[in-house]
Amino acid sequence: MGRGITRPFLFGEIMKDDKPIRVSAKTLGELSLPNFCPKCFQIKKLAKTLPFQSFPSIFNDLDGCTKKFVHGWFDKYKCLPTWLNELGPITGYIEPPSWRELFVEMDGIILSGSPDGIFVQDELLVVDYKTAKFTGHQDELFPIYEVQLNAYAYLLEKCGKGKVGSMALIYMEPNQDVIDSMRGFRVELTAHILKVERKVGLVEELVKKASEIVYGGKMVGRDKCKDCRAVEKLK
């Protein structure tokens, strides 16, 4: 059950809703960014819809293609493609449950998510595909991805899907060489694997922080937050 409280919205609107706020594993990762703004986070979670919110689906489509290829390869050859050998020996894979199935509620927050891949070793190996340039831990979005994978592991164990032993990001980096063809062009992708550390207590800590922000009344924006400055100009 949700907290059943009245939440003051930032623009003077009062939102009355006894349903807990849903936060995805990736959205939870935003709280770990150095430029995180609690005010902007509160607005995004309390507002039903936001203007000008669009994100191209091409990256999700490419990640989905990678997942289908890897699963299809394993179905045919009973092993992973050679470019994933760094993950170690795999005995099988599990089709990731939907985020509608993979969720927990705590501190008035519903945390949900679904990883791109779950491979079977002695324990489960959770992976997420990223179609992006590989820069290792220098990736400015790595803090989000780190929390994201830790949240997936947390959800899988809490929902009784198995014990997670390791986690990894699989960057599919586009090569600069583009091969022209009669149908358009093709871009080759190179796989880079980045192991991610399991951090005990991280998920609970961030969910508690998210709850305090969402339900904590009017938030103060981060100093020098460009979005907060834009809102102030409008006001």
Side-chain angles (χ1 to χ4, degrees), residues 26 30 44 49-60:
K26 188 172 184 178
E30 294 178 6
K44 286 191 293 186
T49 57
L50 289 172
F52 317 119
Q53 295 294 301
S54 62
F55 184 79
S57 64
I58 182 64
F59 299 106
N60 288 332

Side-chain angles (χ1 to χ4, degrees), residues 28 99 167 204 232 234:
L28 186 69
W99 61 267
M167 308 177 298
E204 294 97 329
E232 288 301 318
L234 289 175

Side-chain angles (χ1 to χ4, degrees), residues 119-187:
F119 297 118
V120 180
Q121 298 177 322
D122 292 335
E123 296 176 318
L124 298 182
L125 163 62
V126 180
V127 303
D128 220 49
Y129 299 107
K130 305 295 180 185
T131 304
K133 183 178 180 181
F134 177 69
T135 57
H137 292 87
Q138 287 70 46
D139 187 339
E140 64 179 8
L141 295 180
F142 176 76
I144 290 182
Y145 301 154
E146 181 181 46
V147 173
Q148 188 178 4
L149 279 174
N150 270 273
Y152 291 151
Y154 182 89
L155 290 169
L156 287 167
E157 292 182 350
K158 287 294 183 181
C159 294
K161 304 301 181 181
K163 174 68 175 176
V164 176
S166 55
M167 308 177 298
L169 292 168
I170 301 176
Y171 284 83
M172 302 302 296
E173 181 176 14
N175 294 334
Q176 292 184 351
D177 294 333
V178 177
I179 304 173
D180 293 324
S181 71
M182 295 297 294
R183 298 182 179 179
F185 64 90
R186 292 179 295 151
V187 179

Side-chain angles (χ1 to χ4, degrees), residues 70-132:
V70 172
H71 285 184
W73 184 280
F74 193 94
D75 290 340
K76 185 173 183 180
Y77 299 107
K78 306 306 177 186
C79 66
L80 293 181
T82 55
W83 40 271
L84 290 180
N85 282 345
E86 191 179 337
L87 291 175
I90 301 295
T91 60
Y93 69 85
I94 299 172
E95 194 65 39
S98 164
W99 61 267
R100 293 180 177 84
E101 179 184 354
L102 209 58
F103 69 91
V104 296
E105 181 181 346
M106 51 182 166
D107 294 314
I109 297 290
I110 294 179
L111 176 66
S112 63
S114 179
D116 287 336
I118 306 171
F119 297 118
V120 180
Q121 298 177 322
D122 292 335
E123 296 176 318
L124 298 182
L125 163 62
V126 180
V127 303
D128 220 49
Y129 299 107
K130 305 295 180 185
T131 304

